[in-house]
Amino acid sequence: MRKDLIRAMRIPDPSRPINHEAARVAIEPLEGVRGVVWLDRTNLIVMVAGARYRTMGSIQRICDALAPLGDTLAVVVNVQNVQAVTSEQADTLSRNCQLPPGQRAFMQRKRQVDVLDPALRRVFEAQQTHEGK
């Protein structure tokens, strides 16, 4: 019952941390992966080669590769397309391995990993459109 309560509260299991180097080794061979970097103790950035790899499906494959290494509730996978030609294509797609998009584990804050916040870009584009009329 205690274990179920801890899971319901979205608290990662501190006895099953994922070794960062082992995680990199497990992810690098996946199709489309060009680089893997830990931003901090919970945020993993995976650079992929093309828009077809910047998907929630890719995030799930990455999480599946990490699952044997420890508790993936402690991991947020951030996927970036290194072949992007527009700022929208360069936006980071992210998700906690065990939670729906937008949700984080207990005490896991959302990191700003994009150079330009998508909301700020939309404001800028709206201003450009308005000025162009």
Side-chain angles (χ1 to χ4, degrees), residues 83-105:
Q83 295 179 346
V85 293
T86 68
S87 61
E88 288 87 2
Q89 292 174 0
D91 284 348
T92 302
L93 190 62
S94 66
R95 181 175 66 84
N96 178 291
C97 276
Q98 293 187 30
L99 301 172
Q103 292 187 15
R104 297 290 185 261

Side-chain angles (χ1 to χ4, degrees), residues 10-100:
R10 296 185 290 188
I11 299 173
D13 184 349
S15 70
R16 297 184 53 230
I18 291 180
N19 176 284
H20 288 186
E21 189 56 33
R24 285 174 23 89
V25 169
I27 295 166
E28 284 177 341
L30 297 178
E31 184 178 357
V33 172
R34 292 295 173 255
V36 181
V37 177
W38 284 92
L39 182 61
D40 57 30
R41 135 181 159 312
T42 62
N43 282 278
L44 177 67
I45 298 178
V46 180
M47 290 147 286
V48 296
R52 72 177 197 246
Y53 299 111
R54 188 188 153 273
T55 66
M56 286 296 174
S58 290
I59 290 176
Q60 189 58 53
R61 282 188 293 284
I62 292 163
C63 291
D64 291 346
L66 295 175
L69 303 176
D71 186 6
T72 58
L73 182 61
V75 178
V76 175
V77 174
N78 300 277
V79 176
Q80 294 178 333
N81 174 7
V82 296
Q83 295 179 346
V85 293
T86 68
S87 61
E88 288 87 2
Q89 292 174 0
D91 284 348
T92 302
L93 190 62
S94 66
R95 181 175 66 84
N96 178 291
C97 276
Q98 293 187 30
L99 301 172

